[in-house]
Amino acid sequence: MLGKRTKLLRIAAFIILFIIYGMHFPCRVQAGEDNPQKVLILNSYHQGLTWTKEETEGIMQTLSNEGKNISFYVEYMDWKNNNSVQNWEYLHDYYKYKYAQNRMDLIVATDDAALQFVLEYGTEIFAAAPVVFCGVNKKSADTLVKGYTGVTGVLEVVDPADTLRVATKINPSLQRVCLLFDNSESGLSTGEIATAAIKSFNPDLQVEPWNNLSFEEIKRRAGELGQDSIILATTYYEDATGKILDIDYVNRVISERSSVPVYGLYDFGVDKGILGGGLLSGRLHGENAARLAKRILEGESPDDIPVSAPSSMRTVFDYNQLVRYDIPLSSLPQGSEIINKPFSFYETYKTLVLSVAAAFTLLLVFINVLLFYIRKIRKMRKNLSESHEELTQLYEELSASDEEMRQQYDEIITVNEKIRLSEEKLTYLAYHDPMTGLPNRLSLYEETKRLFLSKRRRVALLFIDIDNLKYVNDTLGHAFGDRVIIKVGEKLAGLVQNKGSLYRLSGDEFVIIWRNMEETDRVEEYAKLILSDFLTDDWHTNSELRGSISIGIALYPDHAPDLEGLLKYADIAMYQAKEAGKKSYVVYNQAMNEVFTERVTIEKYLQKALEQREFEVYYQPQLDIKANRVTGFEALLRWNSPELGRVSPLKFIQVAEDTHCIIPLGAWVLQEACGFLARLEEKGYGKLDISVNISIIQLLQEDFIDRVLDTLAVYHIEPGRLELEITESILMESFERIISKLQILRSSKIKIALDDFGKGYSSLNYLKQLPITTLKVDKSFVDYITDTREDDFVRHIISMGKYLGMCVVAEGVEIPRQLDYLARYDCDKIQGYLFCRPVPEAGIYSLLDENKNI
């Protein structure tokens, strides 16, 4: 008994000491690690490559498991897909910008390209941070690291000996190894190492390299191999013709075509067609590199750590491939991993299954006994219920007559109440808007009858209109538009409070009457408050919709002596706010009446201008700078009105969009432009291109794509010769609505141009997602290039467009200096007065005849 107590006391003392030690030890560790150590993992290849992914995960997981406070930075050079000098220089500029002021404590470089980049620019970009490399074979490492300090790493050892040993055991008649590798630098190096290893294993084995075959030839040969052969897949990302291939796809297709097992060097090929073997693991390789990195982060110099080659191999096989080639598990090395092996629940949990079956049998017996007694209880309840129903029926017959009289009395009261409520409802509906519940136009006129009798009283009328409601109705439906109107009404009601009265006139129009206004500045401050409140995100009805309002303000008695006048002038001021970019307010002045009158006049004559053929399409040539010849034209609309004279497109295009006249007008321009191209070709001027501007209103029409394709078909124009121009404002306001249509147009070979680039706020992310083929630099930026001044912003736009694979066109080129600048920075095309102004169709023929050498 005493011995047991002594033992328990010892255990308790041990636990107490462990708790005390555990409370203090973490504090000491954390005290020295308040500031995280920065580790950059620079990968040679892209994130989707399994080898790169597993290397990175192995490095990060191993360092994280050490309990250190580390901040990881991960970059991907994507060198297999972009192995160009231009990309190398771009990465240099990008990493220099990103890391020149962000000092790294350690850099881990995976594979050859990353190691070469870090060593070349380590001092310039990364402040000579210590380097650990992995994924590099000995030959490459000796070449790259030579002459550098502060670098160590783990070598990628390509050794197929274990795999060949298994293959020989499975197939003793093995005589030939078909070696699959590509002609890249790393592929050739891996092929050379693998060939030497095969000859070292068995000099009698014949090695047949497949690096100079096309992928189609490889597939054919794989299906014709005899049983004395195997395929050994190594590094293979492109065939002899330069065709880029996905390694997983290659392994899977060759395995499907092959009549013999396909072995590999890397474990990511298992489950993709590779049978298996002793394979190099990217994760284990990354873990080995992380162990060296840990030593350096703890203060050890990389120059004191020799480059090593620890084992990163794992022996793994695909069960499906073993079954396919009838290979018994007994022929595999001891302790091999088997993936895709079917799971046998019964064999694994035999005891549990038998126990559950026994318990289930006992449960069934218990349920049967329980059901027997339940039936007896139900029968007793049924007998009692029948007796109770007889008594209840007798009581109901006695009380029926009394209840009927009560119901008739209640019905009379209900009818009277409904009549009263109907009268109140009719009165309410006469003076209120049924959708929002706000006072309506009739209520506005009734309540303001006496308001304008005294000229000493100052009154402000705020005319509020919802921006883009017509666009919302056209794209999201009228039901959604009604929800927007209701939300705006609720928002305004909360902002008005006791400052005045809120009314809904009609459609998307609201009016606020502010009585007893003291100063105009107070009204403007109130308008600013309303606008700023509408910019918040807590009232929007849809994540794609960012609603806003425009406000026009008219004052009594300054601007008008009655309600009708105030409504008219506030409406004019509101339209002026919309012309200024929406989301703003404008106080009425006399000059606005002239602008409004001009807009009304334009709208009046615009309706019949298309019918009477008052419009004409002008064409401005686009000059290819390098070829020094005209490659196409931009179609520009002009209006020569008999009543108004020449009307600027800046004035009538906006009116056409607001009235939806832009739909037939835009269709007419497209037909004229395509007819012009067809006539050029008939006259022997060759196949030139045409660029046509389109409006968001056109693009949102359901039949827009069909209309474009039909027009091309009528004039026998190839889709690739048509370019549709959209502006950055369309891109930003309607990205989610138009991307699918632009993709369909692009899939039909029609080109898409982004017009006036630089004036809006489009992001690089949007440019990558949209199928843009052409980037047009706005004239306002080209104007910064003069005989005495240059602008780097234009050069950066050109560079970005080139990097994204787009054709770059500069607009508004007017002086030779601008042309020289654009040619120097590799701009593709120009258009502007320096070469030619926009001219009618007849002028184009003369231009082309006079410049036949262009």
Side-chain angles (χ1 to χ4, degrees), residues 66 74 83 125 134 261 304 359 478 485 583 592 707 724 745:
E66 294 295 332
V74 183
N83 55 350
I125 298 177
C134 60
D304 296 334
H478 286 273
I485 292 172
K583 303 179 186 178
M592 293 179 192
R707 187 181 294 245
L724 299 179
L745 289 167

Side-chain angles (χ1 to χ4, degrees), residues 573-846:
M574 182 273 296
Y575 270 104
Q576 195 69 20
K578 286 186 177 291
E579 290 290 338
K582 304 176 183 177
K583 303 179 186 178
S584 60
Y585 75 90
V586 171
V587 179
Y588 173 79
N589 60 57
Q590 185 60 36
M592 293 179 192
N593 200 24
E594 299 175 3
V595 175
F596 183 76
T597 301
E598 180 186 44
R599 177 189 171 89
V600 172
T601 303
I602 290 175
E603 184 174 341
K604 172 185 175 183
Y605 290 106
L606 186 65
Q607 301 292 335
K608 63 183 180 64
L610 185 59
E611 299 173 3
Q612 298 180 0
R613 303 188 64 84
E614 296 174 9
F615 290 104
E616 183 178 6
V617 179
Y618 277 44
Y619 301 95
Q620 185 171 37
Q622 293 180 340
L623 179 70
D624 187 302
I625 298 177
K626 289 185 177 178
N628 194 30
R629 66 183 183 87
V630 174
T631 58
F633 307 89
E634 180 179 1
L636 300 168
L637 186 61
R638 296 293 184 263
W639 179 19
N640 188 9
S641 170
E643 295 83 7
L644 306 177
R646 291 195 175 274
V647 184
S648 168
L650 297 176
K651 294 181 179 180
F652 73 79
I653 291 296
Q654 183 61 50
V655 177
E657 288 185 338
D658 291 343
T659 60
H660 280 210
C661 286
I662 196 68
I663 297 173
L665 188 57
W668 178 81
V669 172
L670 181 61
Q671 292 171 1
E672 288 292 306
C674 290
F676 168 64
L677 273 193
R679 290 187 290 276
L680 279 175
E681 189 171 352
E682 289 175 2
K683 293 177 181 294
Y685 293 107
K687 294 183 179 291
L688 300 172
D689 298 340
I690 194 72
S691 182
V692 180
N693 293 276
I694 58 172
S695 164
I696 180 63
I697 305 299
Q698 293 175 260
L699 196 55
L700 291 174
Q701 301 305 306
E702 292 184 0
D703 63 344
F704 176 72
I705 295 175
D706 293 336
R707 187 181 294 245
V708 172
L709 296 176
D710 291 345
T711 303
L712 292 172
V714 167
Y715 292 98
H716 306 289
I717 303 297
E718 297 92 335
R721 297 170 61 193
L722 174 63
E723 182 174 73
L724 299 179
E725 294 192 18
I726 60 173
T727 63
E728 278 193 279
S729 60
I730 293 178
L731 172 66
M732 296 304 295
E733 292 180 8
S734 316
F735 179 80
E736 297 295 337
R737 307 295 301 175
I738 69 172
I739 183 171
S740 60
K741 289 192 174 182
L742 293 181
Q743 289 171 342
I744 293 172
L745 289 167
R746 188 68 194 105
S747 67
S748 301
K749 308 300 183 183
I750 295 172
K751 292 177 284 191
I752 308 297
L754 185 60
D755 196 13
D756 299 336
F757 180 75
K759 295 176 69 176
Y761 303 93
S762 55
S763 69
L764 186 60
N765 182 46
Y766 280 145
L767 292 181
K768 286 184 175 180
Q769 293 183 59
L770 283 170
I772 302 298
T773 57
T774 303
L775 204 63
K776 301 197 74 175
V777 183
D778 187 65
K779 180 183 184 299
S780 60
F781 298 110
V782 176
D783 287 343
Y784 279 107
I785 305 168
T786 66
D787 290 331
T788 59
R789 177 184 65 191
E790 291 187 356
D791 184 65
D792 285 341
F793 185 68
V794 175
R795 174 169 62 87
H796 290 309
I797 293 178
I798 297 172
S799 178
M800 181 181 67
K802 289 290 188 179
Y803 174 71
L804 293 174
M806 300 177 184
C807 174
V808 181
V809 180
E811 298 180 302
V813 179
E814 297 180 351
I815 59 175
R817 175 68 171 173
Q818 294 171 343
L819 176 59
D820 293 341
Y821 176 94
L822 295 167
R824 188 192 327 150
Y825 290 110
D826 204 22
C827 181
D828 295 298
K829 301 178 183 180
I830 65 159
Q831 63 183 86
Y833 289 0
L834 176 64
F835 180 64
C836 183
R837 293 172 177 266
V839 294
E841 181 175 336
I844 293 297
Y845 299 137
S846 301

Side-chain angles (χ1 to χ4, degrees), residues 471-482:
Y471 164 72
V472 172
N473 288 331
D474 290 343
T475 56
L476 301 178
H478 286 273
F480 190 87
D482 291 344

Side-chain angles (χ1 to χ4, degrees), residues 274-413:
I274 297 299
L275 173 70
L279 307 179
L280 188 62
S281 168
R283 182 177 293 274
L284 295 178
H285 201 53
E287 292 175 358
N288 288 331
R291 294 186 183 96
L292 296 187
K294 172 178 175 293
R295 293 168 61 183
I296 295 173
L297 291 174
E298 290 176 346
E300 194 169 347
S301 172
D303 295 326
D304 296 334
I305 304 174
V307 175
S308 59
S311 176
S312 300
M313 307 289 286
R314 56 187 285 231
T315 305
V316 58
F317 295 88
D318 186 347
Y319 181 86
N320 294 329
Q321 296 298 320
L322 294 174
V323 172
R324 176 185 175 186
Y325 294 106
D326 197 21
I327 300 173
L329 298 181
S330 58
S331 63
L332 305 181
Q334 189 73 21
S336 297
E337 298 176 50
I338 308 296
I339 67 168
N340 294 328
K341 185 177 181 181
F343 175 74
S344 175
F345 185 88
Y346 178 76
E347 290 181 2
T348 306
Y349 302 104
K350 183 176 181 180
T351 303
L352 177 61
V353 170
L354 294 176
S355 300
V356 171
F360 185 71
T361 303
L362 291 174
L363 181 61
L364 287 176
V365 173
F366 174 78
I367 290 173
N368 286 328
V369 173
L370 186 60
L371 288 174
F372 172 76
Y373 282 101
I374 289 174
R375 290 191 190 97
K376 290 188 67 175
I377 294 172
R378 284 181 176 175
K379 187 174 181 180
M380 294 173 62
R381 285 182 175 177
K382 183 178 179 182
N383 294 334
L384 290 172
S385 177
E386 290 175 354
S387 300
H388 177 71
E389 287 176 0
E390 292 177 0
L391 294 173
T392 302
Q393 185 177 358
L394 179 61
Y395 172 78
E396 289 176 351
E397 290 175 356
L398 292 173
S399 58
S401 58
D402 181 56
E403 183 66 24
E404 186 176 355
M405 293 178 66
R406 290 181 181 179
Q407 288 178 355
Q408 292 175 353
Y409 176 75
D410 291 341
E411 288 177 0
I412 294 172
I413 294 176

